[in-house]
Amino acid sequence: MDDLRETPLTGLHKALGAKMTEFAGYDMPLQYGLGVMGEHLHTREKAGLFDVSHMGQVLIRHEAGYGGAAQAMERLVPVSLLGLGEKRQRYGFFTNDAGGIRDDLMLTNRGDHLLVVVNAACKADDIAWMREGLPECEVVEVTDRALIALQGPKAVDALAPIAGGCEIMKFLDTGIFTSDYGELWISRSGYTGEDGYEISVPEAQAEPLARALLLHEAVEPVGLGARDSLRLEAGLCLYGQDIDEHTTPVEAGLSWAIQKVRRRGGEREGGFPGADVILDQLENGMARCRVGLRPEGRAPMRAGTQIFGSETGGEAVGHVTSGAYGPSIEAPMSMGYVAASHASAGTTLYGAVRGKRLPVRVAKLPFTPSNFKR
């Protein structure tokens, strides 16, 4: 535990009484005084402040400007970056030769370069992957900034006095704002299904900014526990759990992130790792797919639970990758992969829990509607 890394907000977490835990090599807050359920519900009703500084921020520059960087990066992702507007952000993923997902990420057109945000557990490999795959680009990890997420319907009320103009941003808009806390790189995005922002702030100003936001009556600190239940209710994947190198974007239900120009017959078809597998699945379907699962009764079905097509006998038709109690839906919820033949919403399947097969219904995702500012 001694080699755990800290974020610029670690001292604040401890001062606020957070229960800390290891996550992706970092000492991170699991929960604060409100507890996981209280933090979850507070975020849905008002605003939650999350430390996401463990994630990687990377700048991609090309001598030809944004177009050069975007064109190069399209070799690594099945996403249209040349079609991404300035000051706009887009979800994407790195893929491998088998069509599996190496990592999922957010990409921003910053006018003359790309800003990429990657997962903490993958960032070293991602940066090496980009440096190898984009030899004509400058790939620079940002190491002097923290990253804060402010999520919930009252997030705009707390941030607007600090970064005037952020209130007119729409979902996935980005901008650079001057403030009393230095230059803030803000996107109207997040991973809870709620309206909100992600804020990149100079490292030395991270704690002062966080304390200023926490002074707002609507804002409470939120840890990893509620972050997980919020993203699961929103039907969003956690890398390493719901998606990984053995899961394709099509199987994961992320086909929406592959724009028409990158598909077969598109202007810039393929050209990314695993294109043959992914494009074939887009046209012809896949053997399994990610689904929502609503267990009957109160017992959550956790990651690893085997799913069967009948109450007795037969082979497993799938498994759970995430499961928890959903505070907003007041019921257990799970996500997982099942055979495509068992994936229709409303289908009753059976999860093996402590030696018994308990009924679980295939459900549409998300479990709660999104509240993005579109």
Side-chain angles (χ1 to χ4, degrees), residues 220-236:
E220 291 285 347
V222 178
L224 292 171
R227 182 170 176 243
D228 194 55
S229 58
L230 286 159
R231 68 93 192 163
L232 180 52
E233 274 189 350
L236 299 169

Side-chain angles (χ1 to χ4, degrees), residues 232-300:
L232 180 52
E233 274 189 350
L236 299 169
C237 296
L238 178 64
Y239 189 80
Q241 191 161 316
D242 305 299
I243 51 177
D244 58 27
E245 295 207 19
H246 306 289
T247 308
T248 73
V250 184
E251 292 170 334
L254 301 174
S255 302
W256 55 268
I258 304 173
Q259 286 75 35
K260 190 175 179 180
V261 295
R262 305 305 311 279
R263 301 187 181 203
R264 283 200 174 129
E267 186 179 338
R268 299 191 304 283
E269 171 187 327
F272 50 85
D276 289 347
V277 175
I278 293 169
L279 298 183
D280 181 73
Q281 288 185 349
L282 284 170
E283 286 193 334
N284 302 310
M286 59 286 169
R288 62 170 191 156
C289 57
R290 180 171 64 96
V291 296
L293 296 164
R294 290 289 299 270
E296 295 184 6
R298 303 289 288 179

Side-chain angles (χ1 to χ4, degrees), residues 45-58:
E45 295 165 5
K46 294 184 178 180
L49 182 74
F50 305 72
D51 180 9
V52 288
S53 302
H54 55 309
M55 301 181 76
Q57 303 177 66
V58 185

Side-chain angles (χ1 to χ4, degrees), residues 45-349:
E45 295 165 5
K46 294 184 178 180
L49 182 74
F50 305 72
D51 180 9
V52 288
S53 302
H54 55 309
M55 301 181 76
Q57 303 177 66
V58 185
L59 303 176
I60 311 293
R61 291 192 171 91
H62 187 282
E63 62 181 7
Y66 175 78
Q71 189 169 27
M73 184 64 110
E74 286 193 0
R75 294 199 301 264
L76 301 184
V77 297
V79 172
S80 171
L81 294 176
L82 287 170
L84 179 62
E86 187 172 341
K87 297 183 180 179
R88 290 287 294 166
Q89 191 176 61
R90 180 162 282 171
Y91 176 77
F93 22 77
F94 292 130
T95 50
N96 60 27
D97 288 340
I101 300 172
R102 292 176 61 106
D103 193 12
D104 62 340
L105 55 149
M106 297 301 293
L107 304 119
T108 297
N109 176 350
R110 300 240 298 183
D112 60 357
H113 65 277
L114 264 169
L115 169 64
V116 183
V117 177
V118 300
N119 283 301
C122 303
K123 65 182 174 184
D125 287 343
D126 287 346
I127 291 168
W129 176 247
M130 287 186 280
R131 285 178 174 154
E132 178 184 350
L134 308 173
E136 72 272 51
C137 294
E138 181 185 36
V139 179
V140 179
E141 181 182 8
V142 178
T143 58
D144 58 353
R145 301 182 73 87
L147 194 62
I148 293 170
L150 186 65
Q151 299 285 292
K154 301 293 185 183
V156 61
D157 298 336
L159 187 58
I162 292 171
C166 72
E167 65 274 16
I168 63 172
M169 297 170 73
K170 304 293 186 186
F171 182 54
L172 299 181
D173 278 351
T174 72
I176 297 175
F177 295 75
T178 56
S179 78
D180 292 342
Y181 307 95
E183 185 177 270
L184 304 179
W185 304 348
I186 297 176
S187 62
R188 196 156 195 168
S189 61
Y191 219 61
T192 61
E194 293 296 328
D195 180 28
Y197 301 88
E198 292 198 347
I199 309 155
S200 175
V201 53
E203 185 178 86
Q205 293 296 324
E207 183 169 332
L209 173 61
R211 287 186 179 278
L213 291 168
L214 288 168
L215 284 176
H216 194 283
E217 59 84 23
V219 180
E220 291 285 347
V222 178
L224 292 171
R227 182 170 176 243
D228 194 55
S229 58
L230 286 159
R231 68 93 192 163
L232 180 52
E233 274 189 350
L236 299 169
C237 296
L238 178 64
Y239 189 80
Q241 191 161 316
D242 305 299
I243 51 177
D244 58 27
E245 295 207 19
H246 306 289
T247 308
T248 73
V250 184
E251 292 170 334
L254 301 174
S255 302
W256 55 268
I258 304 173
Q259 286 75 35
K260 190 175 179 180
V261 295
R262 305 305 311 279
R263 301 187 181 203
R264 283 200 174 129
E267 186 179 338
R268 299 191 304 283
E269 171 187 327
F272 50 85
D276 289 347
V277 175
I278 293 169
L279 298 183
D280 181 73
Q281 288 185 349
L282 284 170
E283 286 193 334
N284 302 310
M286 59 286 169
R288 62 170 191 156
C289 57
R290 180 171 64 96
V291 296
L293 296 164
R294 290 289 299 270
E296 295 184 6
R298 303 289 288 179
M301 292 182 182
R302 307 284 185 183
T305 301
Q306 294 294 298
I307 301 294
F308 293 84
S310 60
E311 195 166 5
T312 58
E315 298 292 323
V317 297
H319 66 282
V320 172
T321 52
S322 287
Y325 182 79
S328 300
I329 63 174
E330 299 181 333
M333 58 184 175
S334 300
M335 287 198 308
Y337 287 83
V338 300
S341 56
H342 292 74
S344 298
T347 301
T348 297
L349 302 173

